[in-house]
Amino acid sequence: MKHPFQIIKASSNGEFLVTSVKNTVYVSSLKDGRLIGTWCDELDSSYTILKQHESKLKKLEEAERENEEGDASKKTKTNDSKAVKVPKIPVPGPGAPQIYNYIRTLELSKEGDILVLTTDSDKSVVIFKIDLSAENCLIQMKRQPLPKRPCAVSLSLDKKYVTVADKFGDVYNISIDEQTASQEKDLRPILGHVSMLVDIAICEHGGKSFILSADRDEHIRVSNYPKSYVIKGWLYGHSSFISNLHISSFDSNLLISGGGDDYLCLWNWYDEKLLNKVQLRNLVEPYLTDFHLPPERFLSEDSVKEISISKILTYRHPTSDSNLLFVLCENVKAILVFKIEKDYTVNHVQTLALSTSLVDLTLIESDSVLIGSKDTDSQTEIIEFYSIKDSGNLEVLDNELSKSISSSNKIEVNSREEFYPLYYINTLRKRSEH
Amino acid sequence: MASVDKRDLNVPTAEASNESKKKQYREKRKDFRDGQKNVSFEENAIELPRKRFYRQRAHSNPFSDHDLAYPSRPDSMDWSQLYPQFYDQEKKAMTSHVEIADIGCGYGGLLISLAKEFSDKLILGMEIRVQVTQYVQDRIDVLRRQEEDNYQNIAVLRGNAMKFLPNFFHKGQLSKMFFCFPDPHFKQRKHKARIITSTLLSEYAYVLRVGGVIYTITDVEDLHNWMAQHLEEHPLFQRLDKEWEEQDKCVCIMTNSTEEGKKVSRNNGRKWIACFERLPNPDDCD
């Protein structure tokens, strides 16, 4: 069976679909389903360990050399230096957690000419130019390793910088035009939280840019950009971790955020005003399973099933002019559809029940179509198309492309047990005891 | 809640190092703390808490998910619990707001010295260690009992200022922030755990008003250089010169009144001071 696509992202002009499985990226044409680009992260997960080992050896060597030069007179010392233990390459013991090596984030520029992704192996941001006329449309421009694992990326509005947030709470600006990667020690964060960052977004108001950063605590920070040391304010409204920041496609002041809470927040991020909270619990409840219970050691009689939001998308339907909101919750076999009214009230339109959970969801703006990546055993069809009707309702679309795009995924596994973690957002939940 | 007798608090001292004794003592103090609101006492019936029952290792991991209580936003913070005398019962509002914060207040020496110096301003100590916070709270409770009119303007909170400062304070609410003898975190890979970092300074700049002052003092020269360097590099802060330091009464109090400061003096250690003023935001920023 095929490993499900972990991330899918359609270009807004509907020309191609970028997908990722483990450490591989595929670009498929949405015109004929042909594979037009591919890239694989050649470094393996032992890269960091080997690098650390190398630097240890180097330090030892230097120390030895100094010893030889400095203490030539003291013979006893030189004898000792031979006894210096050469550090071993650490090998994970039995029961050690499995090391995964996959692409954590994919980001496409609006025009579909730049692709940014982050890798696990060397904790890098990799920037590609997309040239559809080339044989392999992914042309690697730059690979910038970071000190900590990156977990969210955003492109600056002028497309000169990639902004990347890491697990340590720091955000870096990486120049796209500057071809050579900076030394890790020369990187300076442009802002930082004392918490794991989960998403960032760069947005605009009145000709000025701002950066929104959300963390594993409940904070959404609004900072000026690029002068991000001037914090404009905070958006207070969540009581659990945040996993998604989404600037709506039809109103650049409208931010929709969600994560571990039972609700989504609608904000005017510039005025720092909470416009509405969209309750999801009642809608999602019928689809929750034992998977959504807390891990065993935190389980108690009154534990409730937990909702984690994995995707937020918005779309203005061109014919009906209605503003639609699509929400995907982690490992829930349904897509929720809402309509956002002019006064920011939100009405539920549809809960499209599905046969499988979706790992990811993406929108082809030009075609009024959604694509979902299915968590399925199917060998032939691992993505599904949904057409967005005038009313906002979704309908499963029979599309020949789904077979050809699925077939470009060459990563085969024997059973579901070999899947990489598809649902990990809920692990961000805080379960502190002291 | 039953009344607490003074004698009950005098736990035998000989084996006081015993952890359970310490705990017992603290629990008695807690009973006293909780009972205080309902039970009346004779004046000065209670003595100051003893530090040795509250000792806790000097380090705390600021990145860990402590089970902390903090308001969801500054407006939802109930300050009347901490400063009851500054609460207007009729208007249902505080008559004053916290303006001075001592981040990592330790055993509260600075708070207590500042209390009389700035009797009209609310001063808050923040401390991440539970027992140390309890100590300061017990100390303030007793001081308030001893001198009815004083020490009403100081209070302490257990919290992680590195994570949740903006949950407590509005933009530009503070006029002074103190960082006295912070944990030096010597190891390079622990530098992000330091209380002064370039990224955290942006948060401090957010809660400080223009013209407000950050005070730092330490007995570790490396840490002093680090703090001064990061503050100097931050576009929203400007160093205040020696002359300013000499005339400022807070610098004097900070140097001489904190527990850590006294300890350094006893050991004839050196203290390094650096103070910085909050500059206005650039014109093109919101």
Side-chain angles (χ1 to χ4, degrees):
Chain A
M1 60 197 282
K2 289 194 186 297
H3 191 294
F5 289 124
Q6 287 166 288
I7 310 175
I8 54 173
K9 201 137 257 171
S11 68
S12 38
N13 56 14
E15 286 207 28
F16 58 89
L17 178 75
V18 188
T19 55
S20 85
V21 192
K22 292 191 176 178
N23 57 351
T24 311
V25 180
Y26 303 103
V27 186
S28 305
S29 161
L30 280 170
K31 301 280 173 254
D32 52 14
R34 207 164 39 90
L35 184 68
I36 52 172
T38 174
W39 181 83
C40 181
D41 178 16
E42 304 287 346
L43 298 173
D44 69 358
S45 47
S46 59
Y47 177 83
T48 325
I49 295 173
L50 289 176
K51 211 171 74 174
Q52 278 171 355
H53 184 247
E54 235 168 67
S55 73
K56 266 186 203 162
L57 282 182
K58 215 170 160 189
K59 258 187 205 159
L60 258 185
E61 250 172 52
E62 269 168 32
E64 221 166 294
R65 215 175 303 138
E66 259 172 45
N67 260 346
E68 276 170 22
E69 283 168 16
D71 303 319
S73 55
K74 292 178 192 168
K75 281 209 170 148
T76 46
K77 263 269 160 86
T78 43
N79 283 341
D80 279 351
S81 68
K82 269 179 199 160
V84 169
K85 269 192 192 160
V86 176
K88 281 185 190 146
I89 298 172
V91 185
Q98 194 185 338
I99 299 170
Y100 296 105
N101 180 22
Y102 60 98
I103 285 152
R104 299 265 170 172
T105 52
L106 274 183
E107 196 65 45
L108 259 179
S109 65
K110 248 207 178 76
E111 294 74 17
D113 54 347
I114 293 172
L115 174 75
V116 184
L117 58 83
T118 66
T119 65
D120 273 359
S121 54
D122 59 345
K123 308 188 192 94
S124 270
V125 180
V126 192
I127 304 169
F128 298 91
K129 199 169 81 185
I130 295 182
D131 178 0
L132 295 178
S133 62
E135 195 180 332
N136 182 355
C137 71
L138 291 177
I139 297 158
Q140 185 175 331
M141 311 268 287
K142 188 173 186 175
R143 183 174 186 136
Q144 172 69 59
L146 293 167
K148 301 283 168 189
R149 178 179 289 166
C151 47
V153 287
S154 183
L155 280 152
S156 72
L157 300 170
D158 58 8
K159 288 200 287 183
K160 288 202 166 123
Y161 291 96
V162 171
T163 317
V164 48
D166 72 20
K167 288 221 159 185
F168 214 28
D170 289 330
V171 177
Y172 298 90
N173 241 352
I174 313 286
S175 160
I176 294 178
D177 300 329
E178 181 78 46
Q179 298 256 335
T180 45
S182 317
Q183 289 288 310
E184 258 177 52
K185 61 177 190 326
D186 297 333
L187 290 168
R188 292 274 176 279
I190 59 162
L191 70 92
H193 292 222
V194 181
S195 179
M196 184 195 288
L197 285 169
V198 284
D199 207 359
I200 49 170
I202 291 178
C203 40
E204 190 192 26
H205 180 91
K208 284 194 251 180
S209 290
F210 295 87
I211 179 164
L212 310 180
S213 44
D215 65 29
R216 193 178 151 250
D217 298 319
E218 309 78 27
H219 296 125
I220 302 174
R221 186 196 286 183
V222 184
S223 314
N224 287 269
Y225 184 84
K227 289 180 182 165
S228 48
Y229 53 85
V230 186
I231 298 174
K232 178 172 150 27
W234 305 78
L235 306 179
Y236 305 101
H238 283 285
S239 58
S240 183
F241 70 90
I242 295 154
S243 63
N244 271 275
L245 293 179
H246 177 83
I247 303 281
S248 84
S249 50
F250 46 83
D251 176 355
S252 61
N253 284 330
L254 177 64
L255 167 75
I256 303 162
S257 63
D261 285 314
D262 286 353
Y263 51 84
L264 295 174
C265 288
L266 268 65
W267 309 89
N268 179 324
W269 62 266
Y270 184 80
D271 294 340
E272 290 156 36
K273 200 175 148 212
L274 181 62
L275 303 166
N276 198 356
K277 276 186 183 180
V278 186
Q279 298 295 336
L280 303 175
R281 168 69 60 182
N282 286 339
L283 298 169
V284 179
E285 191 78 58
Y287 298 92
L288 297 180
T289 63
D290 284 352
F291 168 89
H292 299 93
L293 286 168
E296 208 169 333
R297 79 191 170 100
F298 300 105
L299 204 58
S300 69
E301 293 256 310
D302 37 65
S303 289
V304 287
K305 290 173 180 165
E306 296 163 338
I307 300 172
S308 313
I309 287 150
S310 55
K311 197 81 185 186
I312 301 169
L313 293 170
T314 52
Y315 180 56
R316 182 201 285 275
H317 201 288
T319 48
S320 65
D321 252 357
S322 51
N323 295 329
L324 301 172
L325 165 67
F326 306 102
V327 181
L328 193 64
C329 297
E330 199 167 56
N331 204 2
V332 161
K333 291 179 179 171
I335 305 172
L336 301 176
V337 187
F338 300 90
K339 201 183 258 181
I340 303 175
E341 306 297 344
K342 291 271 173 309
D343 61 353
Y344 302 110
T345 54
V346 175
N347 294 312
H348 177 238
V349 175
Q350 184 198 16
T351 304
L352 179 72
L354 304 167
S355 56
T356 63
S357 297
L358 295 185
V359 184
D360 198 6
L361 191 66
T362 186
L363 170 76
I364 312 176
E365 265 174 65
S366 54
D367 300 5
S368 296
V369 164
L370 289 174
I371 308 175
S373 153
K374 292 162 78 179
D375 173 8
T376 171
D377 303 348
S378 162
Q379 177 64 24
T380 49
E381 281 186 73
I382 59 169
I383 57 169
E384 194 160 56
F385 288 70
Y386 313 95
S387 70
I388 308 167
K389 301 286 162 206
D390 284 359
S391 58
N393 281 292
L394 295 177
E395 238 173 57
V396 178
L397 199 64
D398 250 334
N399 194 325
E400 273 306 303
L401 287 177
S402 66
K403 282 201 179 95
S404 50
I405 293 174
S406 299
S407 71
S408 60
N409 175 359
K410 300 284 183 294
I411 311 267
E412 301 276 341
V413 292
N414 294 318
S415 71
R416 298 181 62 87
E417 277 68 55
E418 290 176 31
F419 283 179
Y420 269 30
L422 300 177
Y423 311 108
Y424 45 81
I425 297 173
N426 199 41
T427 58
L428 293 171
R429 206 173 288 273
K430 285 197 273 187
R431 303 183 197 277
S432 54
E433 291 149 293
H434 52 93
Chain B
M1 190 74 59
S3 73
V4 181
D5 194 87
K6 182 187 165 189
R7 275 161 299 164
D8 288 349
L9 293 167
N10 287 329
V11 176
T13 52
E15 307 88 21
S17 59
N18 187 323
E19 189 53 40
S20 71
K21 290 263 164 56
K22 286 189 189 173
K23 207 169 167 188
Q24 223 174 358
Y25 177 91
R26 290 200 305 268
E27 253 150 40
K28 286 232 170 80
R29 295 295 306 209
K30 184 176 182 297
D31 284 349
F32 168 68
R33 212 157 48 223
D34 296 344
Q36 203 184 22
K37 282 132 204 164
N38 316 322
V39 186
S40 68
F41 284 87
E42 283 173 45
E43 203 65 25
N44 297 341
I46 179 87
E47 62 179 34
L48 282 166
R50 284 192 271 170
K51 210 193 281 178
R52 66 160 176 259
F53 296 113
Y54 298 84
R55 292 220 188 272
Q56 199 176 349
R57 68 188 283 272
H59 314 280
S60 182
N61 179 1
F63 304 121
S64 94
D65 296 333
H66 292 119
D67 190 12
L68 298 165
Y70 51 88
S72 59
R73 70 192 71 213
D75 285 332
S76 61
M77 178 71 193
D78 180 9
W79 295 105
S80 68
Q81 299 284 325
L82 295 176
Y83 307 98
Q85 296 224 342
F86 287 82
Y87 183 68
D88 189 328
Q89 293 287 353
E90 276 169 24
K91 287 184 186 157
K92 300 249 178 280
M94 294 295 291
T95 55
S96 184
H97 298 284
V98 175
E99 219 182 272
I100 301 172
D102 182 5
I103 310 298
C105 66
Y107 292 94
L110 180 71
L111 285 178
I112 284 151
S113 309
L114 290 174
K116 287 188 175 167
E117 195 63 49
F118 298 97
S119 55
D120 57 331
K121 291 195 163 64
L122 297 191
I123 307 168
L124 182 73
M126 286 181 109
E127 173 58 49
I128 197 167
R129 291 168 292 167
V130 185
Q131 278 144 239
V132 179
T133 317
Q134 280 171 3
Y135 169 82
V136 182
Q137 202 176 334
D138 290 345
R139 193 172 170 188
I140 294 171
D141 282 348
V142 173
L143 288 171
R144 281 185 183 175
R145 297 195 61 75
Q146 286 174 348
E147 299 174 47
E148 191 73 39
D149 296 328
N150 288 319
Y151 304 109
Q152 296 294 337
N153 61 330
I154 57 171
V156 68
L157 263 180
R158 191 218 170 188
N160 183 339
M162 292 168 72
K163 272 177 182 276
F164 298 111
L165 208 56
N167 288 58
F168 289 94
F169 304 118
H170 290 103
K171 195 175 195 166
Q173 183 178 336
L174 301 180
S175 63
K176 293 179 198 299
M177 289 178 89
F178 290 90
F179 298 91
C180 300
F181 303 99
D183 192 335
H185 291 289
F186 289 109
K187 285 183 189 166
Q188 159 125 46
R189 51 186 227 92
K190 290 250 173 125
H191 282 179
K192 203 188 155 161
R194 286 182 168 171
I195 193 83
I196 301 280
T197 61
S198 52
T199 53
L200 266 175
L201 281 173
S202 305
E203 278 189 34
Y204 303 151
Y206 173 81
V207 293
L208 261 186
R209 66 187 58 157
V210 173
V213 178
I214 281 190
Y215 293 82
T216 73
I217 182 167
T218 173
D219 56 330
V220 180
E221 190 178 7
D222 276 352
L223 180 65
H224 164 74
N225 292 337
W226 162 283
M227 293 198 291
Q229 184 206 335
H230 282 81
L231 275 151
E232 265 156 24
E233 283 170 5
H234 200 283
L236 297 182
F237 290 101
Q238 187 174 45
R239 179 116 189 217
L240 292 158
D241 56 21
K242 273 267 165 316
E243 250 167 62
W244 183 91
E245 282 175 17
E246 272 156 27
Q247 57 80 44
D248 188 81
K249 54 194 173 188
C250 290
V251 172
C252 175
I253 296 172
M254 162 174 90
T255 316
N256 301 312
S257 71
T258 68
E259 278 78 5
E260 204 61 32
K262 286 176 188 159
K263 196 163 96 189
V264 175
S265 301
R266 278 201 302 276
N267 300 333
N268 295 321
R270 247 196 94 174
K271 295 173 212 173
W272 280 270
I273 293 163
C275 303
F276 288 79
E277 188 187 349
R278 165 73 153 93
L279 297 174
N281 289 345
D283 290 337
D284 57 348
C285 288
D286 283 4

